[in-house]
Amino acid sequence: MSPDNKSDDSASIAELIHEDDEDLTGFQWDDGLVLTIFWALAFVVFLQFFTRYVLNNSLGWTEEIARFLLIAVTFLGAVMAVRRQSQIAVELFFRWMSRPVRKAMQYFIDVVSILFYGFMGYLCTQVAERTQQKMVSIDFPKSSIYWFISACFLAMTIYAVIVFWRHLRTGSSRLIDPETAKASGPSL
């Protein structure tokens, strides 16, 4: 094999490896919101580090705001995971079950997920209605954080219902037909 052929082969392999990673068709506006809040969190944490260790005069509000931005990133990321069907799943047991059992288990998981997200949204709404406190470092109601989490659970519930409907309509999913289903999201 000549050196020219070797470089051509490695270039084509690199293109094949990253071909799926460059497909952005699965991304929506809420994914951009997660990215924006993540970078705001990174900026606030950097600002806290800079003011504490470089200026020796830490800004008091950065720790609390960083905590709430981390909560926002977590729950918006969970909404994105439900929409893209990329939650953690133990697929090993599904491979040993018959297809009808896998199908029944997938539907059971979908229904339990819908009920869980809906119930957690209800509980967050209850907490938000009862919270009368303001944040410690800034004059902003703490209940807004709980309302945000409640909205995220509502979005997760809606996406879970859509996913369940898709599983019912097609009769297939990543867990029902693991050998034919394409993994969601970018490959590792």
Side-chain angles (χ1 to χ4, degrees), residues 122-133 143 146-147:
Y122 170 76
L123 290 179
C124 277
T125 303
Q126 297 296 313
V127 171
E129 289 173 345
R130 295 179 186 175
T131 302
Q132 303 298 320
Q133 299 172 317
S143 64
Y146 298 117
W147 284 115

Side-chain angles (χ1 to χ4, degrees), residues 28 34-35 40-41 46 48 52 67 72 75 95 102 112-114 124 131 136-137 139-140 147 157 160-161 167 172-173:
Q28 294 182 356
V34 174
L35 187 64
L41 170 64
F46 174 76
Q48 180 182 24
R52 178 175 289 169
R67 183 180 324 123
F75 281 96
R95 293 185 185 275
R102 289 192 308 243
V112 168
S113 296
I114 292 167
C124 277
T131 302
V136 175
S137 58
D139 189 29
F140 196 73
W147 284 115
T157 305
V161 167
H167 290 163
S172 183
S173 74

Side-chain angles (χ1 to χ4, degrees), residues 1-172:
M1 178 186 286
S2 71
D4 292 335
N5 288 346
K6 190 173 186 176
S7 65
D8 289 342
D9 288 342
S10 61
S12 63
I13 290 171
E15 287 175 15
L16 288 174
I17 290 172
H18 296 293
E19 184 176 297
D20 290 335
D21 291 344
E22 295 172 3
D23 182 21
L24 300 177
T25 57
F27 291 97
Q28 294 182 356
W29 68 271
D30 52 350
D31 301 336
L33 185 60
V34 174
L35 187 64
T36 303
I37 293 175
F38 171 78
W39 281 109
L41 170 64
F43 174 75
V44 169
V45 170
F46 174 76
L47 184 64
Q48 180 182 24
F49 174 82
F50 182 78
T51 57
R52 178 175 289 169
Y53 295 110
V54 175
L55 301 179
N56 287 328
N57 189 11
S58 182
L59 294 173
W61 56 269
T62 54
E63 183 178 346
E64 186 175 30
I65 297 303
R67 183 180 324 123
F68 293 131
L69 287 173
L70 182 60
I71 290 169
V73 165
T74 301
F75 281 96
L76 282 174
V79 170
M80 185 171 60
V82 171
R83 179 178 51 83
R84 299 187 75 197
Q85 302 177 50
S86 59
Q87 306 97 319
I88 297 172
V90 181
E91 298 175 14
L92 178 66
F93 298 117
F94 279 85
R95 293 185 185 275
W96 292 337
M97 295 177 186
S98 66
R99 190 174 192 285
V101 172
R102 289 192 308 243
K103 197 175 203 179
M105 291 297 293
Q106 177 67 67
Y107 296 159
F108 175 74
I109 290 168
D110 288 341
V111 169
V112 168
S113 296
I114 292 167
L115 293 174
F116 174 76
Y117 300 141
F119 184 65
M120 292 304 293
Y122 170 76
L123 290 179
C124 277
T125 303
Q126 297 296 313
V127 171
E129 289 173 345
R130 295 179 186 175
T131 302
Q132 303 298 320
Q133 299 172 317
K134 299 277 187 183
M135 292 183 188
V136 175
S137 58
I138 61 173
D139 189 29
F140 196 73
K142 196 181 270 190
S143 64
S144 61
I145 300 299
Y146 298 117
W147 284 115
F148 175 80
I149 294 170
S150 202
C152 287
F153 274 119
L154 174 65
M156 284 187 259
T157 305
I158 291 169
Y159 281 134
V161 167
I162 292 169
V163 166
F164 180 49
W165 176 250
R166 189 179 307 135
H167 290 163
L168 284 173
R169 191 172 38 97
T170 63
S172 183

Side-chain angles (χ1 to χ4, degrees), residues 174-186:
R174 181 176 54 126
L175 295 178
I176 295 171
D177 298 316
E179 51 283 332
T180 60
K182 181 182 177 204
S184 301

